[in-house]
Amino acid sequence: MRKLYWSSTCANCRQGRLLFQNDITNERVYVHCEECEWGWLHPEDLGDVAKGFLTLLSDFETTDPTLEEIQRSEWRDHIAGSFEE
């Protein structure tokens, strides 16, 4: 079972939750939409679709971050909730 953390609703599709992901290739936490796969690297860019990117076109490996990894990142104040899958 996976425990996933999310930040807010996607500004691009306005449907999906923005799930936290750990980019292990570049050693950073980011968010991506569970519906449209649009992502953002920095919390200050969340409302700006133009500053996002299509995560499916990115060439890096990811894992689900732990709560501690998110709390150590610039996203620490943007955790809205969690769920298990």
Side-chain angles (χ1 to χ4, degrees):
M1 189 165 298
R2 299 167 58 195
K3 183 151 190 179
L4 301 171
Y5 297 90
W6 60 280
S7 174
S8 60
T9 302
C10 180
N12 186 48
C13 72
R14 303 199 187 286
Q15 294 180 50
R17 292 172 288 195
L18 294 176
L19 304 178
F20 289 102
Q21 282 294 286
N22 191 8
D23 169 1
I24 58 176
T25 304
N26 298 297
E27 299 179 352
R28 62 188 174 190
V29 174
Y30 70 99
V31 294
H32 87 275
C33 178
E34 65 187 336
E35 294 293 326
C36 71
E37 301 294 337
W38 205 249
W40 286 267
L41 296 175
H42 306 287
E44 62 270 13
D45 297 336
L46 279 182
D48 190 343
V49 175
K51 292 187 178 179
F53 65 103
L54 185 57
T55 60
L56 297 174
L57 299 177
S58 299
D59 191 23
F60 50 77
E61 296 295 320
T62 65
T63 61
D64 298 327
T66 64
L67 179 58
E68 292 76 21
E69 288 172 315
I70 299 167
Q71 288 174 331
R72 285 194 305 265
S73 76
E74 64 183 316
W75 293 96
R76 70 185 139 281
D77 296 327
H78 298 274
I79 303 167
S82 67
F83 63 97
E84 291 185 350
E85 179 175 84

